[in-house]
Amino acid sequence: MNKKKTGAVILCLVIGWLATLSTDWQSAWFHRTVMGGPMVALLVSMIACNLLPSLHKDFKAGTTFASKKFLNWGIILTGATLSFADILGTGVKALPLILFNICLSFTIALLVGKKIGVSKNTSVLVGGGTCICGGTAIATLSRIIKALEEEIAFAMAAIFLFDTLAAFSYPYLSGALGLTDNQFAFLAGTAINDTSSVAGAQATYVAMNGLGDWSGALNVKLVRTTMLIFVALVWTIIMAKEAKQNGESGQNDSLLNVVKKTFPMFILWFVVMAGLNTFGVFGFDVPGLGMSATGLLGKLAKFLFASALAGVGFKIKFKDVFSKGIKPITLGGITWACVAACSLAFVFLFSGYIG
């Protein structure tokens, strides 16, 4: 790792650390937490990115490393603060809404995309990014449907813009609408695109409401992320059939290889850590810190989430986002709005089921 890349990683860690501390400063100044540490880190790095004239490619590589690795490690450590009962309580219950949103997102993206003149590949990527997990879904599906770099850039721009808007606004919208904790978990977990943004919105909500290590939104989001496997399989089959009809060789990957490539391994380790915590492995007190290992790992997870969001912020250059074209941005906004409206309707109509 060269100096610029290393420097970028260290900078993300510093921003993450200061952003995590900012929750205590907010409590002292405002007598409540206005914004969670991860969203503070996102805001700081996003402002820095847009004020700086340009970023070196090695620096960008470092921020990408931070955004991906720190997020995955944060999710894994979050598992140590949960039990299987916690995960099954909210995550699996959201499955009907998750499945409906997947169908809705692809339908809206393909129909509206065709209507306004967006390529089919871009529409597929926008649909997948909106209903599953933002950039990860776009990267996965782009290999399957053989999307062009331009189409990937269009989809990424459309996803980042509305994902950031949702991450900042949903905790406050939830308070304005009087949603319960589980209702917020369903809304944020199913209607914010990227996992890092869900973690950031959850951190703000937790800090605003004094919920400690509550992870309902992230539980829902991780169940939703696993759906990438099935979405990838469906599009692999679709592309193979289209290739056969066109007399082409078709997809080279077997369904087993698709599963291997798309399964997010951090979710497996998240489940392992939750299993260990369920059996009390992390219940011991850490000498000299006055807290349990579960509490320590939970604090470390929040720090890693903030550091990951710092890395994400350095990717968001508003000039570049809007230069990608108004049509993909419009498509992303319409698809995002439809999914958000569906999730909002669900949390109100089925409030008894959600709890």
Side-chain angles (χ1 to χ4, degrees):
M1 189 180 292
N2 61 43
K3 290 182 179 180
K4 285 187 172 61
K5 186 174 181 179
T6 302
V9 173
I10 293 173
L11 179 60
C12 289
L13 288 170
V14 171
I15 293 174
W17 176 59
L18 293 175
T20 302
L21 290 178
S22 75
T23 57
D24 294 330
W25 301 337
Q26 291 174 55
S27 297
W29 296 337
F30 306 112
H31 304 293
R32 68 187 183 95
T33 300
V34 179
M35 186 182 296
M39 297 314 298
V40 172
L42 175 64
L43 183 61
V44 169
S45 59
M46 193 165 57
I47 291 173
C49 179
N50 283 275
L51 289 178
L52 294 172
S54 62
L55 297 175
H56 192 277
K57 65 177 183 179
D58 292 333
F59 184 91
K60 289 182 179 179
T63 60
T64 299
F65 175 90
S67 64
K68 292 181 178 179
K69 295 297 183 180
F70 294 158
L71 175 66
N72 291 351
W73 296 341
I75 289 171
I76 291 168
L77 293 185
T78 298
T81 69
L82 303 171
S83 67
F84 284 146
D86 296 324
I87 298 171
L88 295 175
T90 50
V92 175
K93 284 181 71 175
L95 195 55
L97 175 58
I98 292 170
L99 293 174
F100 185 83
N101 277 355
I102 290 172
C103 297
L104 175 67
S105 183
F106 278 113
T107 300
I108 295 296
L110 288 168
L111 290 178
V112 175
K114 185 176 181 180
K115 188 76 174 177
I116 64 176
V118 175
S119 73
K120 181 181 177 181
N121 280 353
T122 301
S123 299
V124 170
L125 297 180
V126 168
T130 301
C131 70
I132 302 292
C133 50
T136 303
I138 290 172
T140 300
L141 291 175
S142 65
R143 294 194 297 266
I144 295 172
I145 66 175
K146 298 179 180 178
L148 302 175
E149 286 188 12
E150 182 182 58
E151 293 170 326
I152 297 171
F154 285 159
M156 287 287 192
I159 291 300
F160 265 127
L161 179 62
F162 297 100
D163 187 45
T164 304
L165 176 62
F168 276 113
S169 63
Y170 280 9
Y172 305 102
L173 176 65
S174 177
L177 296 176
L179 300 185
T180 66
D181 297 339
N182 282 347
Q183 284 177 312
F184 171 76
F186 272 59
L187 174 63
T190 62
I192 297 178
N193 303 332
D194 198 76
T195 306
S196 60
S197 298
V198 174
Q202 176 180 275
T204 296
Y205 182 83
V206 165
M208 290 171 61
N209 294 279
L211 297 179
D213 291 328
W214 181 83
S215 296
L218 195 57
N219 291 343
V220 172
K221 184 64 177 73
L222 294 180
V223 172
R224 177 178 159 205
T225 300
T226 62
M227 294 299 105
L228 178 59
I229 300 168
F230 303 102
V231 169
L233 287 174
V234 168
W235 279 103
T236 298
I237 293 170
I238 291 173
M239 294 303 294
K241 287 184 176 179
E242 289 184 359
K244 186 176 181 180
Q245 291 173 354
N246 296 331
E248 301 171 5
S249 59
Q251 300 289 305
N252 296 322
D253 279 350
S254 66
L255 297 185
L256 180 60
N257 283 336
V258 171
V259 172
K260 287 180 179 178
K261 290 180 180 180
T262 57
F263 184 77
M265 290 302 295
F266 65 86
I267 290 182
L268 175 62
W269 289 110
F270 168 84
V271 172
V272 169
M273 294 292 276
L276 293 174
N277 190 51
T278 300
F279 291 103
V281 173
F282 304 114
F284 64 90
D285 290 333
V286 180
L289 294 181
M291 67 175 69
S292 67
T294 298
L296 177 61
L297 292 174
K299 287 183 177 296
L300 184 56
K302 291 176 182 178
F303 163 64
L304 288 171
F305 283 141
S307 301
L309 264 291
V312 171
F314 281 111
K315 297 179 182 178
I316 304 174
K317 199 87 169 178
F318 291 122
K319 182 181 70 173
D320 293 341
V321 167
F322 288 104
S323 68
K324 299 301 181 185
I326 192 64
K327 288 184 178 180
I329 296 291
T330 302
L331 177 61
I334 293 172
T335 308
W336 168 75
C338 289
V339 169
C342 178
S343 293
L344 266 175
F346 188 95
V347 300
F348 282 116
L349 292 174
F350 299 97
S351 57
Y353 167 77
I354 293 172

